[in-house]
Amino acid sequence: MSDTTARVPVQFAQLTGRSILDSRGYPTVEVRAMLEDGTRMIAAAPAGASTGEHEAVERRDHGRAYDGRGVHGAVAAVDGEIADLITGRSWDRLVDIDSALAGLDGTGSYARLGANAVVAVSIVAARAFAHTAGAQLHQWIAEQTNSAQRLPVPHFNVLNGGVHAANALDFQEFMIAPVGAATEEHAVQTGAEIYHALAGLIRERFGSAGLGDEGGFAPQIEDPRMALDLLVDAITTAGYTPRVDQVAIALDPAANSFYLGDGRYRVNGLEFGRDQLVDYYLDLIGSYPIRSLEDGFAEDDLDGWTAMATAADGRVQLVGDDLYVTDPARIRDGAEHGYSNAVLIKPNQIGTVSQTFDAIRTARDAGMVCMVSHRSGETADTFIADLVVGSGVGQIKSGAPARGERVAKYNRLTEIETDHPDLPYGLA
Ligand code: 2PG
Ligand code: MG
């Protein structure tokens, strides 16, 4: 973990954990802190479903409750060992707390304390440092990461498939990105209007559709092209222009979930070799206004990543999510090998806020861009909204423009814009 500049010391009087429900109705960890001056703050851990093999490890109880997904062990770690470590002394820097957490855990993956406990503690600590410095969280993050603040292009996940939905669509996420909007407020309005137009089209064509975990619709579609046609129609119906510099499309196929091994994939009932999958993606990119492709290949199919990067030759943003798991070392390696030109940033994949800052710095130093991301299991915590503005990376995905846990982030972005109308909007 790299160094950050010294700030006013923070003293925690109390640190406690609690089990709360996430957006899927499974337990997750909430952490409450009280500072010596009596100020209280709170943070909660999100939870993924399509997780990368190398992510920091959540601690689950594996008992009878909640299908084994209880978090009482993780909460007990916050109330016990972690509170003992953090309370009753003063801390100069967040990185000191985060390093101490890594040391206390001792596993290198937070498997012992639980990454779900650690990330919530680290986020609450970040809030404490911002508060003590008298700064808004996004401003404090800008200072810590030495960034120019920017309001990001939201990538609204409006059609869901893969492991996030019960339909037959193999690709996990079909997103719309109002790249050409003038402001965050306008971007949010654009996303919501297209979402409503899409609801109408789906009602007309399919009668009804379920929802996926991220609030996007999950109609009974199998063919990714049908989903893309729906998106283009919805964008036009809502009165916007489907174009990479206006309302663009972004995909997260999350290819781990349809990887057969040995460079082979199954999409829409068809089997593809890695070169055929490259051609398939290039064909989609040529036919639709797609600006971004995340996890188009499985995390351990590095030849697939290389083939795609070579063939795309910078014409599209290629985002590594499961590939990098927000790990600075993996990002560095990806940059050296040229696997992708972009990195997905999820604090709970790596475990602490300081390591997340490192991941962003590493990507930036390597000339890669970043997109900050929620998880499919979320809470009302809005940390990632401040993270994306403060780090100035210019892109976020937080699901559909509907459902409380998703709009909490978008509403926080427009709140920041209301308070700071001078901040620029758009891609970095
Ligand atoms: C992803 C994420 C978030 P999950 O694959 O990018 O959209 O899904 O949180 O299930 O890993
Ligand atoms: Mg992903």
Side-chain angles (χ1 to χ4, degrees), residues 56-368:
V57 179
E58 285 182 335
R59 180 163 168 190
R60 299 279 176 188
D61 297 335
H62 304 295
R64 283 184 54 205
Y66 293 107
D67 300 327
R69 300 181 58 84
V71 294
H72 288 300
V75 165
V78 176
D79 291 344
E81 286 182 73
I82 297 178
D84 288 348
L85 172 79
I86 287 177
T87 56
R89 53 166 287 193
S90 90
W91 297 91
D92 288 330
R93 302 172 311 169
L94 179 65
V95 70
D96 296 334
I97 291 186
D98 288 344
S99 301
L101 286 166
L104 179 68
D105 176 77
T107 65
S109 64
Y110 302 107
R112 196 179 72 77
L113 296 171
N116 40 356
V118 169
V119 77
V121 169
S122 185
I123 291 172
V124 99
R127 291 202 163 103
F129 276 97
H131 164 80
T132 307
Q136 285 278 311
L137 184 56
H138 59 95
Q139 292 167 327
W140 179 82
I141 290 171
E143 210 175 285
Q144 297 297 304
T145 59
N146 201 12
S147 310
Q149 295 188 73
R150 169 173 289 278
L151 293 158
V153 173
H155 290 60
F156 299 105
N157 182 11
V158 293
L159 280 176
N160 295 181
V163 303
H164 291 172
N167 59 6
L169 203 49
D170 295 304
F171 287 7
Q172 180 177 285
E173 301 172 24
F174 293 78
M175 294 170 271
I176 47 168
V179 175
T183 61
E184 193 73 49
E185 181 86 43
H186 182 217
V188 167
Q189 181 188 335
T190 304
E193 288 177 355
I194 295 169
Y195 182 73
H196 297 137
L198 182 61
L201 292 177
I202 287 174
R203 231 175 283 126
E204 261 168 51
R205 295 181 195 177
F206 301 91
S208 70
L211 285 185
D213 286 353
E214 301 188 351
F217 301 107
Q220 279 307 341
I221 297 178
E222 242 180 286
D223 186 349
R225 282 183 174 273
M226 253 177 98
L228 288 161
D229 287 336
L230 260 177
L231 285 197
V232 168
D233 288 354
I235 295 168
T236 321
T237 304
Y240 295 95
T241 309
R243 218 172 65 196
V244 283
D245 62 345
Q246 288 294 309
V247 179
I249 293 175
L251 298 177
D252 178 5
N256 276 352
S257 67
F258 54 86
Y259 187 47
L260 306 171
D262 289 329
R264 305 208 63 81
Y265 296 83
R266 181 181 295 279
V267 179
N268 190 22
L270 301 170
E271 213 176 299
F272 292 84
R274 59 171 71 93
D275 291 333
Q276 292 168 301
L277 190 58
V278 168
D279 288 343
Y280 180 72
Y281 287 136
L282 290 179
D283 208 34
L284 292 183
I285 291 160
S287 317
Y288 298 93
I290 295 171
R291 69 167 302 270
S292 182
L293 175 69
E294 174 185 331
D295 282 358
F297 290 81
E299 66 190 31
D300 51 13
D301 182 15
L302 301 175
D303 291 340
W305 281 91
T306 308
M308 185 69 207
T310 308
D313 195 24
R315 278 176 294 153
V316 68
Q317 174 173 279
L318 299 173
V319 187
D321 170 15
D322 294 339
L323 177 66
Y324 299 134
V325 294
T326 317
D327 182 336
R330 288 181 169 272
I331 296 167
R332 215 168 288 122
D333 185 58
E336 272 162 28
H337 289 91
Y339 298 143
S340 81
N341 53 15
V343 179
L344 203 72
I345 299 291
K346 293 167 165 170
N348 83 323
Q349 274 183 331
I350 188 67
T352 65
V353 171
S354 302
Q355 288 166 291
T356 305
F357 291 167
D358 271 356
I360 292 171
R361 281 191 214 103
T362 303
R364 189 186 288 162
D365 292 349
M368 298 161 102

Side-chain angles (χ1 to χ4, degrees), residues 340-399:
S340 81
N341 53 15
V343 179
L344 203 72
I345 299 291
K346 293 167 165 170
N348 83 323
Q349 274 183 331
I350 188 67
T352 65
V353 171
S354 302
Q355 288 166 291
T356 305
F357 291 167
D358 271 356
I360 292 171
R361 281 191 214 103
T362 303
R364 189 186 288 162
D365 292 349
M368 298 161 102
V369 296
C370 294
M371 182 190 290
V372 168
S373 171
H374 67 155
R375 301 308 304 251
S376 51
E378 266 295 339
T379 72
D381 192 289
T382 57
F383 177 76
I384 59 165
D386 283 77
L387 175 63
V388 71
V389 174
S391 62
V393 300
Q395 305 183 53
I396 189 171
K397 65 169 192 174
S398 176

